[in-house]
Amino acid sequence: MEILEINYVNFRNLKDRNIKFSPRFNLFLGKNGQGKTSILEAIYFNATGKSFRTSKNGELIQYNKNKMGAFVSYKDSVTEKSLSVKMDNKRKEYSYNGKRIPFDNFYGKLNIVSFIPEDINLITGSPSVRRSFFDGEIAQINSEYFQNLKNYNKILKIRNKYLKERNHKDPMFSIYQDEFIRLGSAIIKSRIDYVKNISIILNLNYRKLFDDKKELSLKYESSLGELKNIDILKIQELLKKKSDSVFHQEIKYGFSLFGPQKDDFLFLLNEREAKSYSSQGEKKSIIFSLKLSEIDMIIKERRENPIFIIDDISSYFDSIRKNNIIKYLKHREIQVFISSTGDLDIDSKNFQVDKGEIYDWNKQC
Ligand SMILES: Nc1ncnc2c1ncn2[C@@H]1O[C@H](COP(=O)(O)OP(=O)(O)OP(=O)(O)O)[C@@H](O)[C@H]1O
Ligand SMILES: [Mg+2]
């Protein structure tokens, strides 16, 4: 996939503009606080309907303005297409080729992978950070997963309400319970399959780019115990068993105590958990390898090259790692958007970012 151009209005500190991009490397250079992350965020937001650094949409609207919009035209292996998102303080509207569509149909159309300094959170943060990240990634390539997750979260809320109100003897409860188990096991199964596939690629990428003497793996950690090579019926069975064993406690506490919303994803470097044992540099390298692996997963599943966004590469990696990354990306046929405070050794379309204005660097010189 390739983003041809973007238009945005009232996005963070950016001055309204229309920018045409290179099919390969696009580099945004500028001092701190000028808008480099914001332009990458605008691209990401336009592609996914979400920000990569906040869940509060209102933060994206320029100070003292009450609405914001972004429009991209892009092409995939078939044709040229467009996506737009408009937002005010109350609602968000999504369009595809000029026609309004719901978010469910919007998400996953333009595949994009981002790497930002805050992503280190994926290792150091709480399990919910990892769950929402992997949920988003699986949903990007699997629309059934997206729907299952949405429905599961609805049922989870209802189930919790029944438990809180001690209404579990109501005949409807057992209907919700069956749905809870059915959707929960489908989600767990998709996550196990995803982890199994990406784990192999993750290790290869880590060894190729950063350290060929270490083994990196990703493990799905479930409250159901070891789940390798398991089928969906067996997961259902385990969930039912778990339900029986914790039901009294659930009624006591008034909410669900098992299911995929309790599970976690662990990064293991040489079989030790990265969160507790890996150095800062290793953690960054693990996450970068993860992002490259996501790219590989999207290519495998969708047969399309996703867009890759890298924020603040210069402050993230030392020069050896940075050079390895750039060397690697030069060999990949993907469109890349990078921000940096210093110039990089790549053949790129360069933009200078200065107080929210984005200038074509070559024209400036
Ligand atoms: N909604 C908003 N409206 C206007 N300005 C905003 C908004 N949100 C953030 N800003 C400001 O936009 C500026 C640019 O922020 P941004 O994070 O894009 O900078 P940056 O170039 O990536 O800097 P750094 O190199 O430090 O990461 C900051 O001064 C920030 O305070
Ligand atoms: Mg920044």
PDB file of all heavy atoms in Angstrom, residues 251-262:
ATOM      1  N   ILE A 251     -19.793 -14.408  42.215  1.00  0.00           N
ATOM      2  CA  ILE A 251     -21.017 -13.858  42.827  1.00  0.00           C
ATOM      3  C   ILE A 251     -20.645 -12.983  44.029  1.00  0.00           C
ATOM      4  O   ILE A 251     -21.191 -11.910  44.229  1.00  0.00           O
ATOM      5  CB  ILE A 251     -21.994 -14.982  43.216  1.00  0.00           C
ATOM      6  CG1 ILE A 251     -22.506 -15.634  41.933  1.00  0.00           C
ATOM      7  CG2 ILE A 251     -23.167 -14.447  44.035  1.00  0.00           C
ATOM      8  CD1 ILE A 251     -23.172 -16.955  42.133  1.00  0.00           C
ATOM      9  N   LYS A 252     -19.630 -13.449  44.759  1.00  0.00           N
ATOM     10  CA  LYS A 252     -19.181 -12.686  45.926  1.00  0.00           C
ATOM     11  C   LYS A 252     -18.631 -11.317  45.507  1.00  0.00           C
ATOM     12  O   LYS A 252     -18.976 -10.286  46.069  1.00  0.00           O
ATOM     13  CB  LYS A 252     -18.103 -13.507  46.640  1.00  0.00           C
ATOM     14  CG  LYS A 252     -17.698 -12.932  47.976  1.00  0.00           C
ATOM     15  CD  LYS A 252     -16.811 -13.939  48.712  1.00  0.00           C
ATOM     16  CE  LYS A 252     -15.786 -13.195  49.539  1.00  0.00           C
ATOM     17  NZ  LYS A 252     -14.633 -14.019  49.835  1.00  0.00           N
ATOM     18  N   TYR A 253     -17.746 -11.328  44.482  1.00  0.00           N
ATOM     19  CA  TYR A 253     -17.116 -10.059  44.068  1.00  0.00           C
ATOM     20  C   TYR A 253     -17.978  -9.237  43.105  1.00  0.00           C
ATOM     21  O   TYR A 253     -17.760  -8.046  42.930  1.00  0.00           O
ATOM     22  CB  TYR A 253     -15.741 -10.327  43.445  1.00  0.00           C
ATOM     23  CG  TYR A 253     -14.749 -10.876  44.441  1.00  0.00           C
ATOM     24  CD1 TYR A 253     -14.236 -12.162  44.311  1.00  0.00           C
ATOM     25  CD2 TYR A 253     -14.345 -10.108  45.539  1.00  0.00           C
ATOM     26  CE1 TYR A 253     -13.337 -12.671  45.237  1.00  0.00           C
ATOM     27  CE2 TYR A 253     -13.447 -10.603  46.467  1.00  0.00           C
ATOM     28  CZ  TYR A 253     -12.945 -11.886  46.309  1.00  0.00           C
ATOM     29  OH  TYR A 253     -12.067 -12.385  47.229  1.00  0.00           O
ATOM     30  N   GLY A 254     -18.884  -9.910  42.407  1.00  0.00           N
ATOM     31  CA  GLY A 254     -19.780  -9.175  41.520  1.00  0.00           C
ATOM     32  C   GLY A 254     -19.216  -8.844  40.152  1.00  0.00           C
ATOM     33  O   GLY A 254     -19.684  -7.914  39.506  1.00  0.00           O
ATOM     34  N   PHE A 255     -18.229  -9.592  39.705  1.00  0.00           N
ATOM     35  CA  PHE A 255     -17.777  -9.445  38.312  1.00  0.00           C
ATOM     36  C   PHE A 255     -17.048 -10.703  37.845  1.00  0.00           C
ATOM     37  O   PHE A 255     -16.700 -11.555  38.650  1.00  0.00           O
ATOM     38  CB  PHE A 255     -16.922  -8.185  38.109  1.00  0.00           C
ATOM     39  CG  PHE A 255     -15.634  -8.171  38.876  1.00  0.00           C
ATOM     40  CD1 PHE A 255     -14.464  -8.648  38.292  1.00  0.00           C
ATOM     41  CD2 PHE A 255     -15.586  -7.664  40.164  1.00  0.00           C
ATOM     42  CE1 PHE A 255     -13.263  -8.620  38.994  1.00  0.00           C
ATOM     43  CE2 PHE A 255     -14.388  -7.643  40.879  1.00  0.00           C
ATOM     44  CZ  PHE A 255     -13.225  -8.120  40.290  1.00  0.00           C
ATOM     45  N   SER A 256     -16.830 -10.773  36.510  1.00  0.00           N
ATOM     46  CA  SER A 256     -16.245 -11.982  35.912  1.00  0.00           C
ATOM     47  C   SER A 256     -14.775 -12.125  36.295  1.00  0.00           C
ATOM     48  O   SER A 256     -14.015 -11.161  36.217  1.00  0.00           O
ATOM     49  CB  SER A 256     -16.362 -11.918  34.390  1.00  0.00           C
ATOM     50  OG  SER A 256     -17.707 -11.760  34.037  1.00  0.00           O
ATOM     51  N   LEU A 257     -14.400 -13.339  36.680  1.00  0.00           N
ATOM     52  CA  LEU A 257     -13.020 -13.552  37.133  1.00  0.00           C
ATOM     53  C   LEU A 257     -12.197 -14.409  36.166  1.00  0.00           C
ATOM     54  O   LEU A 257     -11.095 -14.809  36.467  1.00  0.00           O
ATOM     55  CB  LEU A 257     -13.035 -14.235  38.499  1.00  0.00           C
ATOM     56  CG  LEU A 257     -13.538 -13.375  39.664  1.00  0.00           C
ATOM     57  CD1 LEU A 257     -13.697 -14.200  40.931  1.00  0.00           C
ATOM     58  CD2 LEU A 257     -12.594 -12.211  39.917  1.00  0.00           C
ATOM     59  N   PHE A 258     -12.757 -14.715  35.017  1.00  0.00           N
ATOM     60  CA  PHE A 258     -11.984 -15.498  34.044  1.00  0.00           C
ATOM     61  C   PHE A 258     -12.380 -15.058  32.636  1.00  0.00           C
ATOM     62  O   PHE A 258     -13.358 -14.327  32.445  1.00  0.00           O
ATOM     63  CB  PHE A 258     -12.242 -17.004  34.236  1.00  0.00           C
ATOM     64  CG  PHE A 258     -13.623 -17.406  33.788  1.00  0.00           C
ATOM     65  CD1 PHE A 258     -13.810 -18.069  32.580  1.00  0.00           C
ATOM     66  CD2 PHE A 258     -14.732 -17.095  34.555  1.00  0.00           C
ATOM     67  CE1 PHE A 258     -15.076 -18.421  32.151  1.00  0.00           C
ATOM     68  CE2 PHE A 258     -16.012 -17.439  34.121  1.00  0.00           C
ATOM     69  CZ  PHE A 258     -16.186 -18.102  32.923  1.00  0.00           C
ATOM     70  N   GLY A 259     -11.580 -15.493  31.677  1.00  0.00           N
ATOM     71  CA  GLY A 259     -11.854 -15.130  30.278  1.00  0.00           C
ATOM     72  C   GLY A 259     -10.669 -14.396  29.679  1.00  0.00           C
ATOM     73  O   GLY A 259      -9.710 -14.064  30.388  1.00  0.00           O
ATOM     74  N   PRO A 260     -10.720 -14.140  28.355  1.00  0.00           N
ATOM     75  CA  PRO A 260      -9.570 -13.529  27.676  1.00  0.00           C
ATOM     76  C   PRO A 260      -9.203 -12.136  28.189  1.00  0.00           C
ATOM     77  O   PRO A 260      -8.074 -11.694  28.007  1.00  0.00           O
ATOM     78  CB  PRO A 260     -10.007 -13.461  26.208  1.00  0.00           C
ATOM     79  CG  PRO A 260     -11.474 -13.669  26.211  1.00  0.00           C
ATOM     80  CD  PRO A 260     -11.796 -14.476  27.426  1.00  0.00           C
ATOM     81  N   GLN A 261     -10.139 -11.461  28.856  1.00  0.00           N
ATOM     82  CA  GLN A 261      -9.835 -10.122  29.408  1.00  0.00           C
ATOM     83  C   GLN A 261      -8.890 -10.197  30.599  1.00  0.00           C
ATOM     84  O   GLN A 261      -8.467  -9.168  31.122  1.00  0.00           O
ATOM     85  CB  GLN A 261     -11.135  -9.383  29.780  1.00  0.00           C
ATOM     86  CG  GLN A 261     -11.782  -9.745  31.097  1.00  0.00           C
ATOM     87  CD  GLN A 261     -12.524 -11.079  31.066  1.00  0.00           C
ATOM     88  OE1 GLN A 261     -12.497 -11.808  30.076  1.00  0.00           O
ATOM     89  NE2 GLN A 261     -13.178 -11.428  32.151  1.00  0.00           N
ATOM     90  N   LYS A 262      -8.527 -11.432  31.010  1.00  0.00           N
ATOM     91  CA  LYS A 262      -7.601 -11.609  32.137  1.00  0.00           C
ATOM     92  C   LYS A 262      -6.235 -12.095  31.651  1.00  0.00           C
ATOM     93  O   LYS A 262      -5.328 -12.276  32.452  1.00  0.00           O
ATOM     94  CB  LYS A 262      -8.153 -12.668  33.115  1.00  0.00           C
ATOM     95  CG  LYS A 262      -9.464 -12.299  33.750  1.00  0.00           C
ATOM     96  CD  LYS A 262      -9.206 -11.486  34.996  1.00  0.00           C
ATOM     97  CE  LYS A 262     -10.494 -10.947  35.554  1.00  0.00           C
ATOM     98  NZ  LYS A 262     -10.320  -9.721  36.302  1.00  0.00           N
TER      99      LYS A 262
END
